[in-house]
Amino acid sequence: MTSSALRAQSLTRVFRTRGTSHRLALDAIDLDLPRGQVHGLLGPNGAGKTTLCRIACTVLTPSGGTVEVLGHDVVSDADEVRRRVGIVFGGDRGLYGRLSARENLQFWCAMHGVPRRATAARIDELLERLGLASRATDLVETFSRGMKQRLHLARGLVADPPLLLLDEPTIGMDPVSALEFRTLVAELRAEGRTVLLTTHDMAEAQALCDTVTFIDDGRIVGSGTPGSLRALQAEGGVRVRIHGLGTEAHSTLVSHLPDDIVGEHDPATGCTDLVVDTRAAPAVVAEALRLGHVEVTTGPPTLQDVYLRLLGHRDGTDRGMAV
Ligand SMILES: Nc1ncnc2c1ncn2[C@@H]1O[C@H](COP(=O)(O)OP(=O)(O)OP(=O)(O)O)[C@@H](O)[C@H]1O
Ligand SMILES: [Mg+2]
């Protein structure tokens, strides 16, 4: 039995766009994800994460290369793959609004060939597990976004799959539900399942993933355990966060620091993050204080810092490469 849950070799996917132009969404991806772990697939919009998930669940076919799920080829052995994969996409797709939560799950149990006598108990268990038991008979169109997202998760689990593909599963979840989701993923892992998780939430990835793979423009740009990537990022460095800065104050601060220190400013939180050499950190903190910024925190680099170093040049737009 192969120890790989998902293995991609030279995986390429080209989309035909308008006219004769093409878009290279995945460019010779090599990936080997061991069983029983949580793997993060991280990268900016348009990087190719959903395309990879769609190929792994047989919805799309590769343009080149191969993908095996638990030893089964996604093209020549698609039925075997479908039996072993649960898929959860973010958003509203795939749920029937005019049916109740229970009816939606009954439909998906039938689709996945869950034996009739096991269906009711399976659905009860899932509704309970996802905190939807009290809304089981309500129409899904009356559900909030986060509730629909939890129903998506239940749907992904109906066939008891050994591999779960979770594509931005916490979109729209409130903070408490998102925390409960982390507990659920830990439970799924403890049950021996493999999880491939795509998320833009680096704190979530850092908390949940055994390994992460960063992709950009269809290519892998980094991979490893969150710990090893953070250690690499640190290389004796420290993360300094200065709070309560507007864009102008951020520019002023950076102009007072040595040229080789690059600061990332988040206008939404008013925080500037810098990863600096340990020896340089006291001077940076002193400069921030001198400029009147008294809320300064330090700590080890985070996965967010790793992301910014690898992909910080991106502006968030979909620049999928035309070929
Ligand atoms: N059906 C399609 N037809 C044409 N191009 C497509 C299609 N699906 C995806 N693409 C392109 O492939 C590239 C990868 O898209 P994909 O949806 O895999 O990105 P993603 O990493 O999931 O992004 P996001 O974080 O925004 O969900 C993008 O350039 C996208 O425009
Ligand atoms: Mg996507």
Side-chain angles (χ1 to χ4, degrees):
M1 192 172 72
T2 169
S3 60
S4 282
L6 182 74
R7 177 184 291 153
Q9 287 177 306
S10 305
L11 172 63
T12 298
R13 173 70 205 200
V14 180
F15 286 109
R16 188 184 294 264
T17 49
R18 248 180 289 141
T20 53
S21 57
H22 292 75
R23 192 173 287 278
L24 187 56
L26 294 173
D27 185 6
I29 296 275
D30 289 315
L31 204 60
D32 193 353
L33 308 180
R35 293 178 190 227
Q37 295 190 346
V38 180
H39 304 282
L41 191 58
L42 314 174
N45 297 133
K49 305 177 299 293
T50 297
T51 303
L52 197 146
C53 290
R54 295 180 77 202
I55 290 173
C57 69
T58 79
V59 172
L60 273 181
T61 52
S63 307
T66 57
V67 180
E68 281 180 9
V69 169
L70 299 150
H72 298 277
D73 186 272
V74 293
V75 178
S76 61
D77 229 357
D79 286 347
E80 292 297 325
V81 171
R82 277 194 281 268
R83 241 170 251 148
R84 290 166 172 80
V85 177
I87 175 100
V88 176
F89 286 112
D92 281 354
R93 277 179 303 156
L95 297 176
Y96 295 95
R98 308 302 298 273
L99 298 181
S100 69
R102 180 180 295 283
E103 287 163 342
N104 265 274
L105 294 178
Q106 280 166 343
F107 173 77
W108 288 108
C109 279
M111 288 293 284
H112 285 281
V114 176
R116 252 164 197 267
R117 59 187 182 286
T119 299
R122 172 82 51 87
I123 291 175
D124 282 343
E125 183 212 317
L126 288 172
L127 289 169
E128 193 61 48
R129 194 168 193 183
L130 275 305
L132 290 170
S134 65
R135 303 290 299 263
T137 54
D138 291 356
L139 295 189
V140 168
E141 65 187 11
T142 67
F143 278 17
S144 70
R145 208 144 68 107
M147 289 163 68
K148 286 181 186 159
Q149 202 48 44
R150 282 186 268 153
L151 186 58
H152 263 299
L153 274 164
R155 179 197 149 177
L157 286 166
V158 289
D160 201 16
L163 172 64
L164 268 163
L165 308 175
L166 308 180
D167 192 5
E168 299 191 43
T170 45
I171 272 193
M173 278 190 195
D174 63 55
V176 173
S177 303
L179 268 184
E180 284 168 2
F181 164 80
R182 290 188 190 181
T183 310
L184 173 69
V185 171
E187 283 170 18
L188 297 173
R189 183 186 186 282
E191 289 164 11
R193 295 180 218 267
T194 310
V195 176
L196 179 63
L197 169 74
T198 83
T199 179
H200 291 291
D201 182 340
M202 291 306 114
E204 182 170 279
Q206 185 174 312
L208 283 176
C209 296
D210 296 291
T211 64
V212 295
T213 302
F214 288 95
I215 68 169
D216 186 19
D217 264 345
R219 295 199 192 116
I220 293 178
V221 294
S223 61
T225 65
S228 68
L229 287 164
R230 290 169 64 198
L232 205 66
Q233 168 74 4
E235 276 172 1
V238 61
R239 176 177 185 275
V240 180
R241 171 168 283 186
I242 300 123
H243 303 251
L245 268 66
T247 317
E248 241 175 74
H250 163 77
S251 304
T252 308
L253 170 72
V254 172
S255 71
H256 282 81
L257 299 176
D259 287 347
D260 62 334
I261 296 180
V262 184
E264 290 286 342
H265 183 243
D266 180 354
T269 59
C271 288
T272 287
D273 283 334
L274 314 149
V275 176
V276 296
D277 187 89
T278 313
R279 279 163 302 173
V284 170
V285 173
E287 191 58 31
L289 292 172
R290 194 185 68 76
L291 290 169
H293 308 301
V294 291
E295 196 178 352
V296 181
T297 49
T298 61
T302 63
L303 202 57
Q304 170 86 5
D305 297 320
V306 178
Y307 185 101
L308 291 175
R309 181 175 62 85
L310 288 171
L311 299 162
H313 61 285
R314 297 295 308 248
D315 61 8
T317 55
D318 178 352
R319 280 192 244 158
M321 214 182 334
V323 291

